[in-house]
Amino acid sequence: MLTDEYRYRILKVLEQDPDVSQRELAKRLDISLGKANFCLKALIEKGLVKAGNFKKNPNKARYLYLLTPKGIEEKASLTHRFLLKKIKEHEVLTEEIELLRQEAFINTQEINDHE
Amino acid sequence: MLTDEYRYRILKVLEQDPDVSQRELAKRLDISLGKANFCLKALIEKGLVKAGNFKKNPNKARYLYLLTPKGIEEKASLTHRFLLKKIKEHEVLTEEIELLRQEAFINTQEINDHE
DNA sequence: TTAAGATTGTTCAGTCATTGAACGTAGATT
DNA sequence: AATCTACGTTCAATGACTGAACAATCTTAA
């Protein structure tokens, strides 16, 4: 499945490194080759990425995965959405940690009670 | 699969609310009934939870899911491990947000360039 | 030039976690 | 007694994911 998470991360990799193989992309995102292939195709299908081949350049991969103007736009939009999302996650996490601290503290108290 | 995440969350729910149905548990953890059933059985299998039935108590569910002493111990241990894990996540998230901020800022700069 | 080797994108059968409808059972309600 | 409701259990179906295998292309070596 192509989540926002991967959409963003793939666009980011391709933006600064268009000559990357699907295997290399898979490695960087820590996903399988099959999934990298699937996601990439989806991005191409959506018109966010264009797969241009470059036979001129030797010693290189088959395709250049270039972001289309739409892709650049989408990536900027995703960055913003992601920032907001991560900030929210940060807030939640901060609260979770506080609760865990209290809980861990209570646990130590209980151990003392039993001694 | 019964991950630490769910092991912890289930033990936490049961600790303060032993008379909870599997359906209710599933709702609280936002998982399916089947998974709740599977995880619960695993915890019972491991001896962390004991399913005691209480026919005395009317208007109640079939089982009482009580934490065993081992379960209480495990839950305390999980709390601590979780706290450390969440703190680590918090650090990572803080850094991610900083990077996203920079990236979002650059994007706005680029938009200004094109005007 | 040719043959072998390396690297690429593509495919897809297999794996595995997860779902939720369906079932049998046992109290509660009428 | 009959109906209803809520429970735990099951399991066929779904869907995401993997990575070995393949065909095509480029590189290198002889």
Side-chain angles (χ1 to χ4, degrees):
Chain A
M1 216 189 60
L2 178 53
T3 60
D4 268 9
E5 175 89 27
Y6 287 107
R7 205 190 325 268
Y8 167 74
R9 293 178 63 191
I10 292 175
L11 289 178
K12 182 169 183 183
V13 168
L14 297 185
E15 187 175 50
Q16 67 173 46
D17 202 354
D19 63 333
V20 67
S21 70
Q22 294 186 7
R23 281 174 176 79
E24 173 65 21
L25 181 64
K27 250 183 217 166
R28 292 203 202 174
L29 302 190
D30 198 31
I31 56 180
S32 71
L33 174 60
K35 183 170 180 178
N37 180 269
F38 177 82
C39 290
L40 208 42
K41 278 187 175 175
L43 292 178
I44 292 171
E45 183 69 24
K46 282 191 192 330
L48 304 181
V49 172
K50 185 162 189 311
N53 51 352
F54 54 124
K55 296 171 183 173
K56 304 284 178 62
N57 211 341
N59 218 359
K60 288 292 180 180
R62 190 116 58 163
Y63 287 135
L64 258 187
Y65 297 108
L66 295 165
L67 267 59
T68 64
K70 195 175 165 190
I72 293 174
E73 198 179 337
E74 173 69 10
K75 196 238 167 192
S77 170
L78 273 171
T79 302
H80 186 247
R81 291 216 303 276
F82 242 64
L83 177 55
L84 297 182
K85 187 182 166 196
K86 293 289 181 180
I87 288 173
K88 187 66 190 166
E89 279 179 26
H90 187 272
E91 289 171 4
V92 171
L93 200 49
T94 301
E95 190 149 348
E96 265 185 45
I97 288 174
E98 178 53 29
L99 291 177
L100 283 168
R101 278 223 163 85
Q102 292 176 16
E103 200 178 328
F105 177 72
I106 289 172
N107 286 342
T108 62
Q109 294 298 97
E110 284 172 353
I111 288 172
N112 287 339
D113 286 350
H114 295 336
E115 274 174 359
Chain B
M1 218 188 60
L2 179 53
T3 60
D4 268 8
E5 174 89 27
Y6 286 107
R7 207 191 321 270
Y8 167 74
R9 292 178 63 192
I10 292 176
L11 289 179
K12 182 169 183 183
V13 168
L14 297 184
E15 186 175 51
Q16 67 173 44
D17 202 354
D19 64 333
V20 69
S21 71
Q22 293 185 9
R23 281 175 177 80
E24 174 65 21
L25 181 64
K27 250 182 217 166
R28 292 203 203 173
L29 302 190
D30 197 32
I31 57 179
S32 71
L33 174 60
K35 181 170 180 179
N37 179 269
F38 176 80
C39 290
L40 208 42
K41 278 187 175 173
L43 291 179
I44 293 172
E45 183 68 25
K46 283 191 193 324
L48 304 181
V49 173
K50 184 161 189 311
N53 51 352
F54 55 122
K55 296 171 183 173
K56 304 282 179 65
N57 211 340
N59 220 357
K60 287 292 181 181
R62 191 117 56 163
Y63 288 134
L64 259 187
Y65 298 108
L66 296 165
L67 266 62
T68 64
K70 196 175 166 191
I72 293 174
E73 197 179 340
E74 173 69 9
K75 196 237 166 192
S77 170
L78 273 170
T79 301
H80 186 247
R81 291 218 304 277
F82 242 65
L83 177 55
L84 297 181
K85 187 182 166 194
K86 293 289 180 179
I87 288 173
K88 188 65 191 168
E89 280 181 24
H90 187 271
E91 289 172 4
V92 171
L93 200 49
T94 300
E95 190 149 349
E96 265 185 44
I97 287 173
E98 178 54 29
L99 291 177
L100 282 168
R101 278 223 163 86
Q102 292 177 15
E103 200 180 328
F105 177 72
I106 290 173
N107 287 341
T108 63
Q109 294 298 96
E110 284 172 352
I111 288 173
N112 287 340
D113 286 352
H114 296 337
E115 275 172 358

